[in-house]
């Protein structure tokens, strides 16, 4: 790949350690929350593993989780799932938050990003996982930049 193409399809990969996601159990304001990591649970259509995490109230059981609205954060080109932490204070009290690394980004498998062309399949895989495995049906897709393109491209798949 030439230099310009590489900047777009293979931007610097921002990997991270789980420590950078913060504590698995934490207090925010006056509530306790937990983070559940699903790093080997979701595969996209290209058979690549997607690194993902869910943030929700500490005491929330699976029944309450399935009935609560969940925001799925889709990061931009060059980003990763940690980007959601920037806006936690606006979302955490009202919604469960699910964030993942697109294929080719963060700690997910894959070598390139396609600026939304294949990433919409990653969104579909995440939504399917939430529906089938966690029984979450109240899903709000929130995307930035490439993530927004992926959400729009995936919108015809939403039920």
């Amino acid at each position: 790949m030439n230099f310009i193409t590489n900047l777009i399809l293979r931007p610097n990969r921002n990997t991270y350690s789980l420590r950078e996601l913060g504590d698995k159990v934490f207090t925010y304001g006056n509530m306790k929350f937990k983070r559940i990591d699903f790093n080997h649970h979701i595969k996209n259509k290209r058979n690549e593993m997607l690194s993902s995490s869910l943030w929700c109230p500490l005491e929330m059981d699976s029944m309450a989780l399935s009935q609560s609205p969940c925001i799925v954060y889709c990061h931009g080109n060059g980003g990763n799932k940690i980007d959601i932490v920037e806006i936690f204070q606006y979302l955490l009290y009202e919604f469960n938050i699910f964030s993942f690394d697109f294929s080719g980004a963060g700690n997910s498998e894959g070598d390139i990003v396609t600026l939304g062309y294949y990433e919409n399949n990653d969104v579909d895989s995440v939504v399917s996982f939430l529906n089938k495995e966690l029984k979450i049906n109240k899903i709000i897709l929130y995307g930035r930049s490439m993530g927004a393109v992926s959400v729009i491209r995936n919108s015809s798949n939403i039920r």
Side-chain angles (χ1 to χ4, degrees):
M1 277 190 256
N2 70 35
F3 178 73
I4 299 297
T5 305
N6 199 39
L7 280 176
I8 296 168
L9 298 180
R10 181 63 275 147
N12 288 336
R13 189 176 195 132
N14 292 318
T15 59
Y16 52 87
S17 69
L18 288 179
R19 180 177 291 147
E20 292 177 76
L21 287 172
D23 295 330
K24 283 193 153 237
V25 175
F26 60 97
T27 301
Y28 194 81
N30 59 357
M31 285 183 64
K32 287 192 178 252
F33 296 91
K34 62 185 172 185
R35 185 189 82 240
I36 305 167
D37 299 313
F38 299 98
N39 293 327
H40 299 288
H41 291 79
I42 304 172
K43 282 188 177 183
N44 64 13
K45 291 180 180 177
R46 293 178 289 163
N47 208 32
E48 298 163 327
M49 297 299 262
L50 304 178
S51 177
S52 58
S53 298
L54 171 72
W55 289 265
C56 62
L58 180 62
E59 302 300 323
M60 185 168 276
D61 63 13
S62 60
M63 177 63 102
L65 182 65
S66 70
Q67 295 173 354
S68 299
C70 183
I71 289 184
V72 174
Y73 176 72
C74 303
H75 65 79
N77 190 22
N80 59 43
K81 71 180 176 182
I82 291 179
D83 297 347
I84 191 64
V85 174
E86 296 172 14
I87 58 173
F88 259 10
Q89 70 267 21
Y90 304 111
L91 305 172
L92 207 49
Y93 287 111
E94 301 294 326
F95 305 98
N96 298 315
I97 300 170
F98 192 89
S99 188
F100 69 100
D101 296 329
F102 281 115
S103 170
N107 293 347
S108 287
E109 293 179 345
D111 295 323
I112 63 168
V113 294
T114 61
L115 302 178
Y117 187 76
Y118 286 119
E119 286 77 12
N120 71 305
N121 294 326
D122 293 353
V123 174
D124 189 50
S125 297
V126 165
V127 169
S128 292
F129 172 78
L130 292 173
N131 289 161
K132 293 176 185 168
E133 302 300 323
L134 301 183
K135 308 297 184 221
I136 296 173
N137 294 309
K138 297 177 183 176
I139 296 172
I140 301 161
L141 298 176
Y142 169 57
R144 276 189 184 167
S145 185
M146 175 183 74
V149 171
S150 304
V151 167
I152 291 167
R153 288 189 45 119
N154 184 270
S155 63
S156 64
N157 296 334
I158 301 297
R159 299 158 241 349

